[in-house]
């Protein structure tokens, strides 16, 4: 374990009434979480366990360590040693590894569901079966497979409108949409076979046609409060071409909806998140405490659920936390004490655009360990570091998404202009999507949805 001690901003009564917060993860999402904690009116001491040196988080933390945050024993030992009161788990892997369970056992309150509940993200079959068993609307026709038996027949049954999903965590890259990522039936069968050969299982499900959006909700197991709706862009290149990524950029609108959605769509998505939180309680007997992130698609006749994540979205966290008006520490304390109904969570009526700068070659063959120059970036406080490291005085990109910038403005178009102006100042072997949040792109989403609905 490598350890760096830094000074956190001293606040009045710093040593009194403070709570120790541990943030797990060191990407841009966790940078946004640490920022939100740091901006609280309540005093706290922030600790972070990361997998590389994130200079943005390090600046705001009391102590930052690099270590194996998927190891429950490592995390619990660290938390006990530092008398941590609350932990916030950023990424999905520690949730899958049961780090939340281990922390609760050690009497540390955790924002981030226990392992069994995190299956809502870690197992696609779990989620689809939950939808069926508890009558939650918005699911596709689907079947789970562990062999090729019946696969070709099921492609036929779905009239070749299908999606193949590896049943496990794959960083957003385990899903192949027929007609987009895979063009022929032999290629589709090959993909299924590659999953079987590696010992995995997969789902084949009905392909939906429409526009995607993310609805994240704060949950305490009994109560739920929703965040503004965001649209992510999963494809690597302009105009939604190229391979799927973790997400290249996002936007949200001043009214917390999106130009292509109507009120009924939003109410349907909120209802699905609520029913899912309740179904999880009924199925497991446990409270879902943390962020429930529904990936939805607006289709011809309503809203469909694409997938669930058991954590903040990345980049979506940057959009919503940048306009959060309610104190984030208050929200965390409410989530872990089943009292979310005691506060009203509010966001500014502002539009946001977030853009990622990623290494050349990302996601399939990214350049690694190259120097990035961010000296020309304006508004450094709008910058969130992701897959980077520090070597001497140099900032190094380590191969995944490098850093993100956020811009907040009255309109999406204005936010886009300043985000674009900032992200193109990153110098080095990197690229970004200049189309995210532009008027052309947002208008095309709306006209696509109008066409689908008519
Ligand atoms: P997931 O990892 O489940 O979010 O899937 C990654 C991407 O695949 C989604 O963002 C969608 O673009 C696409 N996708 C997943 N499931 C479906 C579906 N049933 N119909 C259409 N597209 C889908
Ligand atoms: N924005 C996609 C994700 O966080 O999984």
């Amino acid at each position: 374990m490598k350890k760096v001690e830094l000074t956190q901003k001293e606040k009045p009564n710093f040593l009194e009434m403070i709570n120790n917060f541990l943030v797990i993860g060191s990407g841009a999402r966790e940078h946004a979480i640490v920022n939100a904690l740091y901006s609280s009116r309540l005093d706290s001491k922030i600790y972070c366990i990361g997998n590389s040196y994130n200079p943005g988080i390090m600046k705001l933390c009391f102590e930052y360590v690099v270590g194996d945050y998927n190891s429950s024993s490592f995390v619990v030992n660290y938390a006990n040693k530092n008398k941590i009161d609350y932990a916030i788990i950023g990424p999905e892997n520690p949730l899958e590894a049961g780090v939340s369970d281990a922390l609760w056992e050690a009497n540390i309150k955790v924002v981030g569901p226990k392992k069994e509940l995190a299956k809502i993200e870690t197992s696609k079959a779990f989620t689809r079966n939950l939808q069926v068993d508890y009558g939650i609307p918005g699911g596709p026709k689907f079947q789970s497979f562990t062999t090729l038996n019946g696969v070709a027949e099921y492609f036929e049954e779905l009239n070749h409108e299908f999606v193949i999903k590896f049943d496990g965590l794959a960083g957003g890259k385990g899903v192949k949409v027929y007609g987009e990522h895979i063009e022929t039936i032999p290629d589709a069968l090959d993909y299924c076979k590659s999953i079987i050969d590696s010992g995995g299982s997969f789902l084949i499900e009905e392909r939906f046609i429409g526009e995607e959006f993310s609805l994240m909700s704060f949950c305490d197991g009994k109560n739920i409060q929703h965040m503004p709706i965001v649209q992510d862009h999963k494809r690597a290149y302009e105009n939604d071409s190229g391979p799927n990524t973790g997400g290249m950029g996002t936007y949200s609108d001043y009214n917390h909806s999106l130009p292509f959605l109507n009120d009924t769509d939003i109410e349907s998505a909120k209802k699905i998140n609520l029913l899912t939180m309740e179904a999880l309680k009924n199925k497991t007997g446990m409270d879902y405490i943390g962020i429930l992130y529904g990936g939805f698609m607006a289709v011809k006749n309503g809203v469909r659920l694409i997938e669930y994540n058991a954590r903040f979205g990345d980049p979506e966290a940057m959009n919503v936390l940048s306009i959060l008006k309610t104190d984030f520490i208050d929200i965390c304390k409410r989530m872990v004490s089943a009292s979310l109904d005691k506060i009203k969570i509010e966001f500014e009526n502002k539009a946001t655009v977030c853009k990622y700068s990623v290494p050349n070659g990302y996601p399939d063959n990214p350049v690694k360990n190259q120097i990035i120059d961010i000296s020309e970036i304006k508004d450094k406080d709008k910058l969130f570091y992701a897959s980077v490291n520090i070597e001497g005085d140099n900032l190094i990109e380590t191969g995944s998404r490098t850093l993100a910038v956020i811009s907040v403005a009255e309109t999406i178009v204005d936010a886009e202009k300043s985000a674009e102006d900032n992200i193109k100042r990153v110098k080095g072997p990197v690229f970004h999507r200049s189309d995210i949040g532009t008027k052309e792109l947002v208008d095309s989403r709306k006209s696509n949805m109008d066409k689908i609905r008519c």
Side-chain angles (χ1 to χ4, degrees):
M1 174 175 99
K2 299 181 193 162
K3 182 164 132 181
V4 181
E5 294 215 11
L6 301 130
T7 48
Q8 178 170 308
K9 182 176 72 173
E10 293 277 330
K11 296 181 180 178
N13 303 322
F14 183 62
L15 292 173
E16 292 165 25
M17 293 165 43
I18 56 170
N19 287 126
N20 292 347
F21 274 81
L22 172 62
V23 174
I24 293 170
S26 52
R29 167 185 46 212
E30 290 75 29
H31 188 175
I33 291 170
V34 169
N35 226 13
L37 289 174
Y38 188 78
S39 308
S40 171
R41 68 183 164 76
L42 299 167
D43 285 334
S44 67
K45 231 167 157 185
I46 307 168
Y47 295 75
C48 180
I49 305 177
N51 58 9
S52 67
Y53 289 103
N54 181 316
I57 299 179
M58 285 161 71
K59 220 182 259 172
L60 304 176
C61 270
F62 178 78
E63 186 177 279
Y64 185 100
V65 297
V66 170
D68 180 6
Y69 57 56
N70 295 318
S71 156
S72 293
S73 57
F74 173 76
V75 173
V76 169
N77 283 342
Y78 180 81
N80 279 336
K81 198 178 92 207
N82 291 292
K83 301 192 167 36
I84 296 297
D85 303 293
Y86 301 91
I88 304 176
I89 301 181
E92 57 275 26
N93 298 93
L95 296 173
E96 184 180 43
V99 171
S100 176
D101 308 52
L103 285 164
W104 278 106
E105 270 164 36
N107 285 323
I108 294 159
K109 299 178 174 66
V110 191
V111 175
K114 291 181 179 171
K115 184 183 166 89
E116 185 62 16
L117 295 160
K119 279 192 182 160
I120 198 73
E121 169 163 6
T122 60
S123 167
K124 308 236 182 236
F126 175 91
T127 301
R128 292 310 188 194
N129 288 325
L130 190 83
Q131 282 189 282
V132 173
D133 294 348
Y134 290 86
I136 302 169
K141 291 182 197 136
F142 75 96
Q143 255 186 44
S144 300
F145 294 88
T146 49
T147 69
L148 282 181
N149 285 346
V151 168
E153 290 78 0
Y154 201 58
F155 290 162
E156 292 287 327
E157 196 177 320
L158 296 179
N159 296 321
H160 289 183
E161 290 286 332
F162 65 84
V163 179
I164 305 167
K165 296 188 166 184
F166 166 69
D167 193 12
L169 292 180
K173 293 152 208 153
V175 174
K176 304 285 178 206
V177 178
Y178 187 67
E180 282 186 30
H181 310 103
I182 290 189
E183 299 294 342
T184 67
I185 294 295
D187 285 352
L189 290 168
D190 276 354
Y191 180 58
C192 297
K193 189 165 176 315
S194 71
I195 295 174
I196 296 164
D197 289 348
S198 62
S201 60
F202 58 94
L203 256 65
I204 298 172
E205 58 181 48
E206 173 191 355
R207 178 191 178 185
F208 299 130
I209 310 284
E211 285 295 337
E212 288 181 55
F213 63 95
S214 310
L215 172 66
M216 299 183 292
S217 308
F218 294 109
C219 298
D220 69 8
K222 295 171 184 68
N223 306 288
I224 190 162
Q225 292 204 43
H226 309 286
M227 303 182 218
I229 290 188
V230 182
Q231 187 174 45
D232 188 15
H233 298 74
K234 293 240 165 74
R235 298 301 199 92
Y237 313 136
E238 310 273 310
N239 301 315
D240 295 324
S241 57
N244 269 358
T245 69
M248 293 294 289
T250 30
Y251 63 84
S252 69
D253 209 352
Y254 76 99
N255 58 359
H256 305 159
S257 175
L258 291 172
F260 55 86
L261 295 177
N262 58 42
D263 291 349
T264 316
D265 297 328
I266 295 170
E267 286 317 308
S268 306
K270 287 180 175 174
K271 184 84 199 248
I272 291 172
N273 277 8
L274 169 66
L275 291 174
T276 300
M277 180 188 75
E278 291 174 349
L280 283 165
K281 170 80 181 182
N282 287 332
K283 184 172 172 66
T284 66
M286 292 186 282
D287 287 328
Y288 186 99
I289 297 171
I291 313 303
L292 184 64
Y293 160 164
F296 292 95
M297 194 178 269
V299 298
K300 187 177 175 64
N301 52 355
V303 155
R304 300 288 178 270
L305 179 82
I306 296 285
E307 65 156 355
Y308 266 116
N309 294 316
R311 51 173 172 81
F312 274 116
D314 185 351
E316 289 92 335
M318 277 78 89
N319 300 81
V320 297
L321 292 176
S322 296
I323 53 168
L324 179 63
K325 278 169 43 179
T326 310
D327 195 292
F328 184 60
I329 290 186
D330 268 347
I331 300 174
C332 293
K333 290 188 171 182
R334 294 292 177 187
M335 275 190 282
V336 298
S337 59
S339 57
L340 259 188
D341 55 330
K342 302 283 189 307
I343 50 167
K344 183 168 184 300
I345 299 177
E346 292 183 305
F347 295 84
E348 284 177 73
N349 282 107
K350 291 275 168 80
T352 66
V353 171
C354 182
K355 296 201 186 205
Y356 254 113
S357 181
V358 302
N360 285 344
Y362 173 82
D364 295 331
N365 201 10
V367 298
K368 287 183 184 157
N369 304 321
Q370 301 294 311
I371 295 175
I372 302 299
D373 176 5
I374 54 160
S375 56
E376 287 179 24
I377 287 209
K378 294 190 287 190
D379 296 336
K380 294 259 182 349
D381 57 331
K382 302 283 188 318
L383 184 156
F384 296 92
Y385 294 90
S387 181
V388 294
N389 222 336
I390 303 171
E391 281 179 20
D393 290 337
N394 292 324
L395 184 65
I396 305 289
E397 62 177 351
T398 52
S400 198
R401 293 175 293 177
T402 309
L403 56 86
V405 299
I406 183 89
S407 179
V408 177
E410 298 300 322
T411 65
I412 298 172
V413 168
D414 286 345
E416 191 280 331
K417 285 198 184 104
S418 76
E420 180 62 25
D421 178 52
N422 230 0
I423 199 79
K424 67 184 186 207
R425 291 165 184 271
V426 182
K427 301 288 178 239
V430 291
F431 74 99
H432 70 277
R433 273 185 62 171
S434 61
D435 60 341
I436 293 170
T438 56
K439 183 165 175 2
E440 293 68 31
L441 182 135
V442 177
D443 285 351
S444 77
R445 302 276 190 239
K446 189 163 167 11
S447 61
N448 184 38
M449 210 55 234
D450 289 345
K451 250 187 260 153
I452 289 171
R453 284 195 165 117
C454 76

